[in-house]
Structures are given as C-alpha cells and as structure tokens.
Amino acid sequence: MRYIPIQGVALILAAMTALSACTVAPPARPDDPAWAPVASMDMSPPPPNTGGIYRARAGLSLFDDNRANRIGDVLTVTLSERTTSSKQADTEISKEDKINLNAGAVLGKNVSFGDYNLNTDLSGKRDFEAETESTQSNNLQGSITVTVSAVLPNGLLEVRGEKWLTLNRGEEFIRLRGLVRPEDIAPDNTVPSTRLADVRIAYSGTGELADANGQGWLSRFFSSPYWPF
C-alpha cells in the first residue's frame, strides 16, 4: 500500500479550500457604495437676495405634489412579490429488437460443427422510465424607501437603496434597484415593486443563523463541479 506524504495531504486540502472559496460570493456588508443613496447635485441653500422680495429657488407652488422626480428624492417601494412554479415530466421509452439469421442448407444438409451450427437468434429489450417533479413558491411582502440615483433621457427614474435590520443573532437586509416610470408613482409617493423594470431585489441575512443554514467549505467542495466523482 502506498502512503501519501503529509506535504501532499496539506497541498490537496489547500487546493480544495481554494476551489471551494472560488464558488462562494463575499458576504454582504452595509454602506456598500453600489447601494448608497445619491444626493442632489446642489444641496446648498440659495444665496440671499437683498434687493427685492424674490428669492431664487425659494418659491412655493400650490399645485405640485411631493412625488419623486429628481436625483436625490426618496421613493417608497411596496414589495409585493409572489412567484409559484411547478414542473412535472414523465418519460417512458421501450424498445425491443429481434434478429434471426438462418444459414440455410448446403447440398441439402444443414451445416454444423459438432454441437454448433450457423443458425443464429439475437434478441434484445430495453426499457427506460423516468419521472421528475419540481415545485417552488416564494413570497416577499413589505416596503423599502429608496432614492433616485439617475434620471434617464426618456424620463425613467433609476432608484436604488437598502435596508438593514440588526437582530439579536445577526442582521437582515433588503436591497432594491430598478427603473420607475413617473406615471406609476402614486400621489402618496409610493410605487409597487411589480411596476419596476429591470428590478433587482435581494433579501438575505448575516450572522449565526445565516451561517448555520450554509454548508461548510468541505461540503461545498464535494457538492461543486470540481469534485470529479
């Protein structure tokens, strides 16, 4: 029996750790610049006007609403996501083959070699049957207030934001990014998540409970495509 030296074992474990680490995304952290709110281009107050009653950018309109329409405005997105998928497939294949080769007679007699002759019978039968069924259901309810990060030339509002909740055993977060039509925003400055285009919604958590629901690095390696068996 051939033994593997301890250096080889260490090298194999290191390679398995590196391969399993490549398949795991880095954990989420708050204050990620990709999800940070975007402030308005000019947040400074207008300069004072000492020569008259008019003051630039200090007017009040009685007919405008408070719906988001500029960079830096906030918008509340009502999460109402529900998906249900079901798939079932039944497959059955049956095939039967039979071949009979009759050598015939030579000069009126059957040709034989002791206990053997040239007559041959071949038969085969193959059966295949498979059944698969998959059902998945997801439901996400709640709300998250995001900011307008950009106003596209066609008038669409690009919104993004995140919400973090610190619990006694970890943290939970909701991240959202998408495109909103100003016409879909309600008078109370809310919009349902089903009206967002190119939306990205992430709901997950960190901490002890999230770690307990995940596989270890060695288990991930044996379940990954890198495991050849």
Side-chain angles (χ1 to χ4, degrees):
M1 183 176 181
R2 185 176 181 181
Y3 296 94
I4 302 177
I6 188 63
Q7 295 84 355
V9 175
L11 183 60
I12 293 175
L13 292 177
M16 294 168 58
T17 305
L19 291 175
S20 61
C22 295
T23 60
V24 180
R29 292 290 183 266
D31 301 327
D32 190 340
W35 303 92
V38 179
S40 178
M41 298 298 294
D42 186 7
M43 299 297 292
S44 60
N49 185 4
T50 59
I53 60 175
Y54 174 76
R55 187 176 181 182
R57 302 192 303 275
L60 176 63
S61 176
L62 301 178
F63 302 98
D64 291 342
D65 54 27
N66 296 322
R67 289 183 290 187
N69 55 30
R70 298 172 301 180
I71 296 178
D73 290 349
V74 297
L75 175 66
T76 299
V77 180
T78 304
L79 300 175
S80 181
E81 298 293 331
R82 182 187 298 270
T83 59
T84 302
S85 61
S86 179
K87 181 179 180 181
Q88 184 176 359
D90 296 332
T91 304
E92 183 176 353
I93 300 176
S94 178
K95 185 177 181 180
E96 184 174 353
D97 299 326
K98 186 175 182 180
I99 301 175
N100 187 2
L101 298 179
N102 191 352
V106 177
L107 299 178
K109 293 184 178 181
N110 293 329
V111 180
S112 60
F113 302 93
D115 295 335
Y116 303 96
N117 54 45
L118 298 180
N119 294 331
T120 304
D121 290 331
L122 300 178
S123 62
K125 185 177 181 181
R126 290 177 292 176
D127 292 328
F128 174 79
E129 184 176 356
E131 181 178 355
T132 60
E133 183 176 357
S134 176
T135 303
Q136 184 176 2
S137 178
N138 299 287
N139 187 14
L140 180 61
Q141 302 289 333
S143 63
I144 177 176
T145 300
V146 296
T147 59
V148 179
S149 59
V151 179
L152 302 184
N154 59 356
L156 294 180
L157 305 179
E158 184 183 78
V159 296
R160 71 183 188 190
E162 61 180 358
K163 177 192 291 187
W164 284 80
L165 303 175
T166 302
L167 306 177
N168 55 350
R169 291 295 182 181
E171 294 180 320
E172 293 186 358
F173 67 90
I174 301 176
R175 285 175 170 175
L176 184 141
R177 181 195 304 253
L179 301 176
V180 182
R181 292 195 316 167
E183 296 83 1
D184 295 331
I185 302 177
D188 59 349
N189 199 37
T190 61
V191 61
S193 60
T194 55
R195 305 295 295 179
L196 270 66
D198 195 25
V199 65
R200 302 289 188 273
I201 301 176
Y203 173 71
S204 185
T206 62
E208 298 178 5
L209 296 180
D211 295 339
N213 291 328
Q215 291 182 327
W217 63 267
L218 188 58
S219 299
R220 289 195 300 267
F221 172 76
F222 288 119
S223 302
S224 66
Y226 299 107
W227 180 245
F229 303 103

